[in-house]
Structure formats: C-alpha cells, structure tokens
Coordinates of all heavy atoms in Angstrom, one line a residue:
M110 N 3.7 -15.1 1.9 CA 4.4 -14.6 3.0 C 4.2 -13.1 3.2 O 4.4 -12.3 2.3 CB 5.9 -14.8 2.8 CG 6.8 -14.5 4.0 SD 6.7 -15.9 5.2 CE 8.2 -15.6 6.1
A111 N 3.6 -12.7 4.4 CA 3.3 -11.3 4.6 C 4.5 -10.5 4.9 O 5.5 -11.0 5.4 CB 2.3 -11.2 5.7
L112 N 4.5 -9.2 4.4 CA 5.5 -8.3 4.7 C 5.5 -7.9 6.2 O 4.5 -7.4 6.7 CB 5.4 -7.0 3.9 CG 6.0 -6.9 2.6 CD1 5.7 -5.5 2.0 CD2 7.5 -7.2 2.7
S113 N 6.5 -8.2 6.9 CA 6.6 -8.0 8.3 C 6.5 -6.5 8.6 O 7.2 -5.7 8.0 CB 7.9 -8.5 8.9 OG 8.0 -8.2 10.3
G114 N 5.6 -6.1 9.5 CA 5.6 -4.7 9.9 C 4.7 -3.8 9.1 O 4.6 -2.6 9.4
V115 N 4.1 -4.4 8.0 CA 3.2 -3.6 7.2 C 1.8 -3.9 7.5 O 1.4 -5.1 7.4 CB 3.5 -3.8 5.7 CG1 2.5 -3.1 4.8 CG2 4.9 -3.4 5.3
K116 N 1.0 -2.9 7.9 CA -0.4 -3.0 8.1 C -1.1 -2.3 7.0 O -0.9 -1.1 6.8 CB -0.8 -2.5 9.5 CG -2.2 -2.5 9.8 CD -2.5 -1.9 11.2 CE -3.9 -1.7 11.5 NZ -4.2 -1.1 12.8
C117 N -2.0 -2.9 6.3 CA -2.7 -2.3 5.2 C -4.2 -2.5 5.3 O -4.6 -3.7 5.5 CB -2.1 -2.8 3.9 SG -2.9 -2.0 2.5
K118 N -5.0 -1.5 5.0 CA -6.5 -1.6 5.0 C -7.1 -1.7 3.6 O -8.3 -1.6 3.4 CB -7.1 -0.5 5.8 CG -6.7 -0.5 7.2 CD -7.4 0.6 8.0 CE -7.0 0.6 9.5 NZ -7.7 -0.4 10.2
V119 N -6.2 -1.7 2.5 CA -6.7 -1.6 1.2 C -7.1 -3.0 0.7 O -6.4 -3.7 -0.1 CB -5.6 -1.0 0.2 CG1 -6.2 -0.7 -1.1 CG2 -5.1 0.3 0.8
S120 N -8.3 -3.5 1.1 CA -8.7 -4.8 0.8 C -9.0 -5.1 -0.7 O -9.1 -6.2 -1.1 CB -9.9 -5.2 1.6 OG -11.0 -4.4 1.3
S121 N -9.0 -4.0 -1.5 CA -9.3 -4.2 -3.0 C -8.0 -4.4 -3.7 O -8.0 -4.6 -4.9 CB -10.0 -3.0 -3.5 OG -9.2 -1.8 -3.3
C122 N -6.8 -4.5 -3.0 CA -5.5 -4.7 -3.7 C -5.3 -6.2 -3.7 O -5.6 -6.9 -2.8 CB -4.4 -4.0 -2.9 SG -2.8 -4.3 -3.5
K123 N -4.7 -6.6 -4.9 CA -4.5 -8.1 -5.0 C -3.4 -8.6 -4.1 O -3.3 -9.8 -3.9 CB -4.2 -8.4 -6.5 CG -2.8 -8.1 -7.0 CD -2.6 -8.7 -8.4 CE -1.1 -8.8 -8.7 NZ -1.0 -9.3 -10.1
H124 N -2.6 -7.7 -3.5 CA -1.6 -8.2 -2.5 C -2.1 -8.3 -1.1 O -1.4 -8.7 -0.2 CB -0.4 -7.2 -2.6 CG 0.3 -7.2 -3.8 ND1 1.0 -8.2 -4.3 CD2 0.5 -6.2 -4.8 CE1 1.6 -7.9 -5.5 NE2 1.3 -6.7 -5.8
W125 N -3.3 -7.8 -0.9 CA -3.9 -7.7 0.4 C -4.4 -9.1 0.9 O -4.9 -9.9 0.1 CB -5.1 -6.8 0.5 CG -5.6 -6.5 1.8 CD1 -5.2 -5.5 2.7 CD2 -6.7 -7.1 2.5 NE1 -6.0 -5.5 3.8 CE2 -6.9 -6.5 3.7 CE3 -7.5 -8.2 2.1 CZ2 -7.9 -6.9 4.6 CZ3 -8.5 -8.6 3.0 CH2 -8.7 -8.0 4.3
K126 N -4.1 -9.4 2.2 CA -4.5 -10.7 2.8 C -5.2 -10.4 4.1 O -4.9 -9.3 4.7 CB -3.3 -11.6 3.1 CG -2.5 -12.0 1.8 CD -3.4 -12.9 0.9 CE -2.6 -13.1 -0.4 NZ -3.5 -13.4 -1.5
S127 N -6.1 -11.2 4.5 CA -6.9 -11.0 5.7 C -6.0 -10.8 6.9 O -4.9 -11.4 7.0 CB -7.9 -12.1 6.0 OG -7.2 -13.3 6.3
G128 N -6.4 -10.0 7.8 CA -5.6 -9.6 8.9 C -4.8 -8.3 8.6 O -3.8 -8.0 9.3
E129 N -5.2 -7.6 7.6 CA -4.6 -6.3 7.2 C -3.1 -6.6 6.8 O -2.2 -5.8 7.2 CB -4.7 -5.3 8.3 CG -6.2 -4.9 8.5 CD -6.4 -3.8 9.5 OE1 -5.5 -3.5 10.3 OE2 -7.5 -3.3 9.5
Q130 N -2.9 -7.7 6.1 CA -1.5 -8.0 5.7 C -1.3 -7.8 4.2 O -2.2 -7.8 3.5 CB -1.2 -9.4 6.1 CG -1.2 -9.6 7.6 CD -0.7 -11.0 8.0 OE1 -1.0 -12.0 7.4 NE2 0.1 -11.0 9.0
C131 N 0.0 -7.6 3.9 CA 0.4 -7.4 2.5 C 1.4 -8.5 2.1 O 2.4 -8.8 2.8 CB 1.1 -6.1 2.4 SG 1.9 -5.8 0.7
D132 N 1.1 -9.2 1.0 CA 2.0 -10.3 0.6 C 2.9 -10.0 -0.6 O 3.5 -10.8 -1.2 CB 1.2 -11.6 0.3 CG 0.4 -11.6 -1.1 OD1 0.5 -10.5 -1.7 OD2 -0.1 -12.6 -1.5
A133 N 3.0 -8.7 -0.9 CA 4.0 -8.3 -1.9 C 5.4 -8.5 -1.4 O 5.6 -8.6 -0.2 CB 3.8 -6.8 -2.2
S134 N 6.4 -8.7 -2.3 CA 7.7 -8.9 -1.8 C 8.4 -7.6 -1.3 O 9.3 -7.7 -0.4 CB 8.6 -9.5 -3.0 OG 8.6 -8.6 -4.0
A135 N 7.8 -6.5 -1.7 CA 8.3 -5.2 -1.2 C 7.2 -4.2 -1.6 O 6.4 -4.5 -2.5 CB 9.6 -4.8 -1.8
I136 N 7.2 -3.0 -1.0 CA 6.3 -2.0 -1.4 C 7.0 -0.7 -1.7 O 8.1 -0.4 -1.1 CB 5.1 -1.8 -0.4 CG1 5.7 -1.3 0.9 CG2 4.2 -3.0 -0.3 CD1 4.6 -0.8 1.9
E137 N 6.4 0.1 -2.6 CA 6.9 1.5 -2.9 C 5.9 2.5 -2.5 O 4.7 2.3 -2.8 CB 7.2 1.6 -4.4 CG 7.7 3.0 -4.8 CD 8.0 3.1 -6.2 OE1 8.2 2.1 -6.9 OE2 7.9 4.3 -6.7
V138 N 6.2 3.5 -1.7 CA 5.3 4.5 -1.2 C 5.8 5.8 -1.8 O 6.9 6.2 -1.6 CB 5.3 4.5 0.3 CG1 4.3 5.6 0.8 CG2 4.9 3.2 0.9
N139 N 4.8 6.5 -2.4 CA 5.1 7.8 -3.0 C 4.3 8.9 -2.4 O 3.3 8.7 -1.7 CB 4.8 7.8 -4.5 CG 5.9 6.9 -5.2 OD1 7.0 6.6 -4.7 ND2 5.5 6.4 -6.4
V140 N 4.6 10.2 -2.8 CA 3.8 11.3 -2.4 C 2.8 11.6 -3.5 O 3.1 11.6 -4.7 CB 4.7 12.6 -2.2 CG1 3.9 13.8 -1.9 CG2 5.8 12.4 -1.2
D141 N 1.5 11.8 -3.1 CA 0.5 12.1 -4.0 C 0.9 13.4 -4.8 O 1.3 14.4 -4.2 CB -0.8 12.5 -3.3 CG -1.5 11.2 -2.8 OD1 -1.2 10.1 -3.3 OD2 -2.4 11.3 -2.0
G142 N 0.9 13.3 -6.1 CA 1.2 14.5 -7.0 C 2.7 14.6 -7.2 O 3.1 15.5 -7.9
G143 N 3.5 13.7 -6.7 CA 4.9 13.7 -7.0 C 5.7 14.4 -6.0 O 5.2 14.9 -5.0
G144 N 7.0 14.5 -6.2 CA 7.9 15.1 -5.2 C 8.2 14.2 -4.0 O 8.0 13.0 -4.1
S145 N 8.8 14.8 -3.0 CA 9.2 14.0 -1.8 C 8.8 14.7 -0.5 O 9.3 14.4 0.5 CB 10.7 13.8 -1.9 OG 11.4 15.0 -1.9
N146 N 7.9 15.7 -0.6 CA 7.6 16.4 0.6 C 6.1 16.3 1.1 O 5.3 17.3 1.0 CB 7.9 17.9 0.4 CG 9.4 18.1 0.4 OD1 10.1 17.7 1.3 ND2 9.9 18.8 -0.7
A147 N 5.7 15.1 1.5 CA 4.4 15.0 2.1 C 4.3 15.7 3.5 O 5.3 15.7 4.2 CB 4.0 13.5 2.3
R148 N 3.2 16.2 3.8 CA 3.0 16.9 5.1 C 2.1 16.2 6.0 O 2.1 16.4 7.2 CB 2.5 18.3 4.9 CG 3.3 19.2 4.0 CD 3.9 20.4 4.7 NE 4.8 21.1 3.9 CZ 6.0 21.4 4.2 NH1 6.5 21.0 5.4 NH2 6.8 22.1 3.4
Q149 N 1.3 15.2 5.5 CA 0.5 14.4 6.3 C 0.3 13.1 5.6 O 0.5 12.9 4.4 CB -0.9 15.1 6.6 CG -1.6 15.7 5.4 CD -2.7 16.6 5.8 OE1 -3.2 16.6 6.9 NE2 -3.2 17.3 4.8
S150 N -0.1 12.1 6.4 CA -0.2 10.7 5.8 C -1.2 10.6 4.7 O -1.0 9.8 3.8 CB -0.6 9.7 6.9 OG -1.9 10.1 7.5
E151 N -2.2 11.5 4.7 CA -3.2 11.4 3.5 C -2.5 11.8 2.2 O -3.1 11.5 1.1 CB -4.3 12.4 3.8 CG -5.3 11.9 4.9 CD -4.8 12.2 6.3 OE1 -3.7 12.8 6.5 OE2 -5.5 11.9 7.2
Q152 N -1.3 12.4 2.2 CA -0.6 12.8 1.0 C 0.3 11.7 0.5 O 1.1 11.9 -0.5 CB 0.1 14.1 1.2 CG -0.8 15.2 1.5 CD 0.0 16.5 1.9 OE1 1.1 16.4 2.5 NE2 -0.6 17.6 1.6
T153 N 0.3 10.5 1.1 CA 1.2 9.4 0.7 C 0.3 8.3 0.1 O -0.9 8.2 0.4 CB 2.0 8.9 1.8 OG1 1.2 8.3 2.8 CG2 2.8 10.0 2.4
N154 N 0.9 7.4 -0.7 CA 0.2 6.3 -1.3 C 1.1 5.2 -1.6 O 2.3 5.4 -1.8 CB -0.6 6.8 -2.5 CG 0.3 7.2 -3.6 OD1 0.9 6.4 -4.3 ND2 0.6 8.5 -3.8
C155 N 0.5 4.0 -1.7 CA 1.3 2.8 -2.0 C 1.3 2.6 -3.6 O 0.2 2.3 -4.2 CB 0.7 1.6 -1.4 SG 1.6 0.1 -1.8
R156 N 2.4 2.7 -4.2 CA 2.5 2.6 -5.6 C 2.4 1.1 -6.0 O 2.2 0.8 -7.2 CB 3.9 3.2 -6.0 CG 4.3 3.0 -7.4 CD 3.6 4.1 -8.3 NE 4.0 4.0 -9.6 CZ 3.4 4.7 -10.6 NH1 2.3 5.4 -10.4 NH2 3.8 4.6 -11.8
T157 N 2.6 0.2 -5.1 CA 2.6 -1.2 -5.4 C 1.2 -1.7 -5.6 O 1.0 -2.9 -6.0 CB 3.4 -2.0 -4.3 OG1 4.6 -1.3 -4.1 CG2 3.7 -3.4 -4.7
F158 N 0.2 -1.0 -5.2 CA -1.2 -1.4 -5.3 C -1.5 -1.9 -6.7 O -1.1 -1.3 -7.7 CB -2.1 -0.2 -5.0 CG -3.5 -0.4 -5.3 CD1 -4.4 -1.0 -4.4 CD2 -4.0 0.0 -6.5 CE1 -5.7 -1.3 -4.8 CE2 -5.4 -0.2 -6.9 CZ -6.2 -0.9 -6.0
Q159 N -2.2 -3.0 -6.7 CA -2.8 -3.5 -8.0 C -4.2 -3.9 -7.7 O -4.5 -4.7 -6.8 CB -2.0 -4.6 -8.5 CG -0.6 -4.2 -9.1 CD 0.0 -5.4 -9.8 OE1 0.6 -6.2 -9.1 NE2 0.0 -5.5 -11.1
M160 N -5.1 -3.5 -8.6 CA -6.5 -3.9 -8.4 C -6.7 -5.4 -8.5 O -6.2 -6.0 -9.4 CB -7.4 -3.2 -9.5 CG -8.9 -3.4 -9.3 SD -9.5 -2.4 -8.0 CE -10.5 -1.3 -8.9
K161 N -7.6 -5.9 -7.6 CA -7.9 -7.3 -7.7 C -8.7 -7.6 -9.0 O -9.5 -6.7 -9.4 CB -8.8 -7.7 -6.5 CG -8.1 -8.2 -5.3 CD -9.1 -8.6 -4.3 CE -8.4 -8.8 -2.9 NZ -9.3 -8.9 -1.9
N162 N -8.6 -8.7 -9.5 CA -9.4 -9.1 -10.7 C -10.9 -9.2 -10.3 O -11.2 -9.6 -9.3 CB -8.9 -10.3 -11.4 CG -7.6 -10.1 -12.0 OD1 -7.3 -9.0 -12.5 ND2 -6.7 -11.2 -12.0
Ligands
LIG339 S1 0.7 -3.5 -2.1 FE1 0.2 -1.7 -1.0 S2 -2.0 -1.4 -1.1 FE2 -1.5 -3.5 -1.7 S3 -1.8 -4.7 0.1 FE3 0.4 -4.1 0.0 S4 0.6 -2.3 1.2 FE4 -1.6 -2.6 0.7

C-alpha cells in the first residue's frame, strides 16, 4: 500500500515502487547534518531509506 501524497524518485530504496510511490508505513525526514533548520530542499533527506538488496 503506497503512502498517499508521497512522491519519491529514489528508486534504489527498498520501499520504492514504480510510479514514484513509497510503500513504507510512514517516513521520517531529517535535515542533512542534524538540527531542524533546513534552508532548501537539498538539505533534507528521508531517514526511512533502506538500500535494496
Ligand atoms: S522510504 Fe523514503 S527514500 Fe524510500 S521510497 Fe519511501 S520516501 Fe523514498
């Protein structure tokens, strides 16, 4: 079951499904380098990512 409203292009993640969908039950998004003050989207990342086997 895809997460509604989440569009993801990280096809190397084991949660990724065709159509740019994510089948994780939930995702966690963090700021690169820690903290909580990202200034642009490039400074954020999906912590739920797991490499495909
Ligand atoms: S867990 Fe994160 S990186 Fe993996 S498919 Fe879902 S949104 Fe993308």
Side-chain angles (χ1 to χ4, degrees):
M110 187 77 157
L112 268 182
S113 176
V115 172
K116 176 181 175 181
C117 181
K118 294 181 180 287
V119 187
S120 60
S121 60
C122 177
K123 78 175 196 180
H124 295 295
W125 188 87
K126 299 294 175 208
S127 65
E129 300 183 341
Q130 295 191 314
C131 172
D132 76 354
S134 58
I136 60 170
E137 177 181 336
V138 179
N139 290 339
V140 179
D141 285 341
S145 57
N146 289 308
R148 302 242 176 237
Q149 49 191 345
S150 60
E151 288 81 359
Q152 296 174 327
T153 66
N154 65 78
C155 179
R156 178 77 176 170
T157 312
F158 168 85
Q159 287 187 282
M160 184 74 111
K161 270 183 192 166
N162 292 328

